[in-house]
């Protein structure tokens, strides 16, 4: 435990708050709240530790960032499987979205411009010629308000943030909430919700970097990945989708069967190379009648035996193989994070959807509620 953490208190021991219910006591779980320092403006940041059975997740109010996930290997030995920092200072100093909640619009918007309801909008260009991950001060860099919303099903914290009309160039006031829960099924469940008072694009995701062998264990190229995706959205050399939807069959993007991430990565052209692609998830996810998250991806790390499955309600997943990590960022324990040391599976709508009428729409209208649920489920074999 980091020394700068001050324990505010065990907010809820679920077996205690759930009353005499035996089932709840059996399930157990707890939420512990700690001080995690202050932002440069002096705003206090809190860290919530959600524990249920063998799985622990830590989430802080700055950026609604997941700072740690501890999951057991096949021997039952727990290790942190995410990249990040030991203290708030590391996050405040700037980083490539470790663990972050990303919004108002995740991924890229070409040239930082879009037109909605006949009006032109201009966003900050912060990634080559394009806008990336919500702007200069996106949802990953604001302080969210947290509330313990634990239930008998497990420890749970809801983070809320109100993004003002015009913030980062986006139209309308957006009220967003992200609820993190750790279930008795060894799942970290993330439920997003948002409403707006004007039409606005919304595409929220989580940008955790995973290394199932532990973050000091070198590259993720030996991790075996399966993606429930027969198709992907090809991109130009600034990573903006061309608008086409193409088959992965016969390409290095075919992860329809378990395949080591490093097996064909050298076949991908470009600088810095590697995987940074939106996969179109199979099934009828575009159908509004969808009822809940379904399997999108599975990752198996052969040495530890850890398995992570990703379930989501979203139509796409951006698989990013940590290509821009170059050893300059030193993370937990002072470890320099090198190329391919972590992988991201960002469940979301497709990049640059505002420019492609053939992609599922990301426009939220007043009176409607945006929802998305993504589950990271851990096991070992
Ligand atoms: C996403 C993008 C990548 C990169 C990372 C952050 O995954 O698709 O190109 O920008 O975020 O470094």
């Amino acid at each position: 435990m980091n020394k700068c953490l001050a324990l505010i208190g065990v907010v809820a021991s679920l077996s205690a708050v759930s009353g005499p219910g035996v089932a709840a006591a059996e399930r157990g779980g707890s939420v512990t709240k700690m001080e995690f320092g202050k932002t440069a403006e002096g705003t206090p940041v809190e860290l919530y530790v959600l524990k249920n059975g063998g799985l622990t997740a830590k989430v802080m109010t700055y950026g609604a960032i997941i700072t740690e996930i501890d999951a057991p290997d096949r021997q039952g030995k727990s290790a942190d499987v995410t990249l990040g920092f030991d203290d708030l200072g590391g996050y405040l100093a700037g980083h490539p979205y470790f663990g972050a909640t990303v919004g108002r619009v995740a991924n890229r918007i070409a040239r930082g411009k879009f037109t909605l309801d006949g009006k032109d909008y201009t966003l900050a260009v912060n990634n080559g010629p394009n806008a990336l991950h919500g702007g200069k001060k996106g949802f990953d860099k604001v302080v969210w308000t947290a509330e313990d919303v634990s239930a008998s099903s497990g420890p749970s914290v809801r983070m809320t943030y109100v993004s003002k009309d015009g913030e980062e160039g986006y139209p309308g006031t957006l009220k967003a909430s992200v609820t993190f829960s750790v279930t008795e099924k060894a799942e970290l469940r993330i439920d997003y919700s948002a409403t707006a008072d004007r039409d606005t694009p919304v595409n929220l995701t989580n940008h955790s970097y995973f290394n199932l062998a532990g973050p000091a264990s070198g590259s993720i190229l030996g991790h075996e990945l399966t993606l429930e995706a027969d198709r992907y959205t090809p991109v130009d050399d600034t990573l903006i989708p061309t608008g086409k939807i193409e088959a992965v069959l016969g390409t290095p993007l075919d992860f329809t069967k378990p395949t080591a991430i490093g097996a064909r990565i050298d076949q991908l052209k470009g600088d810095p190379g590697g995987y940074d692609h939106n996969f179109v998830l199979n099934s009828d996810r575009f159908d509004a009648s969808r009822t809940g998250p379904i399997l999108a991806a599975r990752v198996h790390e052969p040495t530890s035996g850890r398995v992570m499955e990703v379930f989501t309600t979203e139509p796409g997943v951006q698989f990013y193989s940590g290509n821009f990590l170059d050893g300059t960022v030193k993370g937990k324990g002072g470890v320099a994070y090198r190329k391919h040391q972590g992988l991201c599976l960002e469940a979301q709508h497709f990049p640059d959807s505002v420019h492609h009428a053939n992609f599922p729409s990301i426009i939220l209208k007043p009176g409607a509620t945006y929802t998305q649920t993504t589950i990271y489920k851990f096991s070992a074999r």
Side-chain angles (χ1 to χ4, degrees):
M1 180 71 57
N2 193 290
K3 284 196 204 82
C4 77
L5 296 180
L7 183 69
I8 298 175
V10 176
V11 176
S13 167
L14 293 180
S15 48
V17 291
S18 306
V22 176
E26 277 169 3
R27 288 189 195 119
S30 63
V31 180
T32 310
K33 179 178 163 186
M34 297 168 180
E35 292 171 3
F36 201 54
K38 287 185 176 156
T39 65
E41 297 79 34
T43 309
V45 174
E46 296 158 354
L47 181 76
Y48 283 78
V49 181
L50 312 180
K51 191 169 165 36
N52 202 350
L55 191 69
T56 300
K58 301 185 183 179
V59 192
M60 68 164 154
T61 52
Y62 178 73
I65 286 173
I66 299 169
T67 63
E68 188 172 326
I69 301 173
D70 299 316
D73 67 7
R74 67 164 81 81
Q75 258 87 48
K77 189 164 168 280
S78 198
D80 179 7
V81 296
T82 63
L83 272 53
F85 302 97
D86 292 320
D87 53 34
L88 181 62
Y91 293 95
L92 296 179
H95 63 104
Y97 305 92
F98 291 145
T101 295
V102 180
R104 186 179 296 200
V105 176
N107 211 284
R108 291 171 181 79
I109 292 182
R111 311 270 156 190
K113 288 189 188 305
F114 66 95
T115 304
L116 182 60
D117 302 333
K119 198 165 177 283
D120 295 335
Y121 294 92
T122 302
L123 312 170
V125 160
N126 59 345
N127 185 256
N130 305 317
L132 177 70
H133 290 335
K136 287 193 171 145
K137 190 173 180 184
F139 288 7
D140 59 298
K141 295 181 190 71
V142 298
V143 178
W144 296 62
T145 302
E147 187 190 352
D148 180 3
V149 291
S150 297
S152 58
S153 54
S156 195
V157 61
R158 179 166 60 220
M159 308 259 179
T160 52
Y161 176 67
V162 179
S163 171
K164 295 198 183 72
D165 181 20
E167 189 174 303
E168 290 295 331
Y170 289 104
T173 302
L174 185 85
K175 293 185 181 166
S177 83
V178 188
T179 304
F180 300 88
S181 313
V182 176
T183 75
E184 75 271 22
K185 291 186 278 183
E187 298 165 333
L188 170 59
R189 179 183 171 113
I190 311 178
D191 292 289
Y192 303 79
S193 157
T195 55
D197 60 2
R198 280 173 62 188
D199 290 5
T200 185
V202 183
N203 191 13
L204 305 181
T205 192
N206 182 272
H207 206 297
S208 287
Y209 287 65
F210 297 96
N211 187 321
L212 298 185
S217 317
S219 96
I220 48 78
L221 295 181
H223 287 45
E224 294 155 4
L225 174 66
T226 316
L227 290 172
E228 299 293 324
D230 295 338
R231 297 176 301 157
Y232 75 109
T233 51
V235 287
D236 68 14
D237 52 15
T238 71
L239 298 177
I240 292 294
T242 61
K244 290 186 181 147
I245 294 181
E246 289 181 359
V248 296
L249 192 68
T251 79
L253 280 73
D254 186 351
F255 284 97
T256 52
K257 303 212 167 52
T259 309
I261 291 168
R264 300 160 305 182
I265 200 166
D266 292 343
Q267 296 173 29
L268 295 164
K269 306 274 178 289
D271 181 22
Y275 293 98
D276 197 350
H277 297 82
N278 171 61
F279 288 77
V280 177
L281 294 167
N282 299 337
S283 89
D284 57 350
R285 284 163 202 266
F286 307 165
D287 179 350
S289 66
R290 62 178 164 70
T291 50
I294 58 176
L295 185 68
R298 181 182 288 112
V299 189
H300 173 234
E301 198 285 302
T303 60
S304 65
R306 286 193 187 88
V307 175
M308 181 178 78
E309 290 170 305
V310 183
F311 300 81
T312 188
T313 54
E314 291 301 281
V317 66
Q318 182 84 8
F319 165 43
Y320 171 58
S321 56
N323 316 322
F324 292 109
L325 298 174
D326 60 5
T328 52
V329 175
K330 293 201 174 45
K332 296 170 185 174
V335 171
Y337 291 144
R338 301 189 193 286
K339 193 171 183 184
H340 307 315
Q341 194 148 346
L343 68 93
C344 305
L345 289 164
E346 304 154 56
Q348 58 191 28
H349 274 55
F350 304 170
D352 199 32
S353 288
V354 287
H355 292 127
H356 299 285
N358 58 324
F359 291 178
S361 172
I362 61 165
I363 304 304
L364 174 65
K365 294 192 168 294
T369 302
Y370 163 92
T371 58
Q372 96 102 312
T373 297
T374 297
I375 292 170
Y376 298 99
K377 181 176 170 64
F378 296 89
S379 58
R381 60 176 155 89

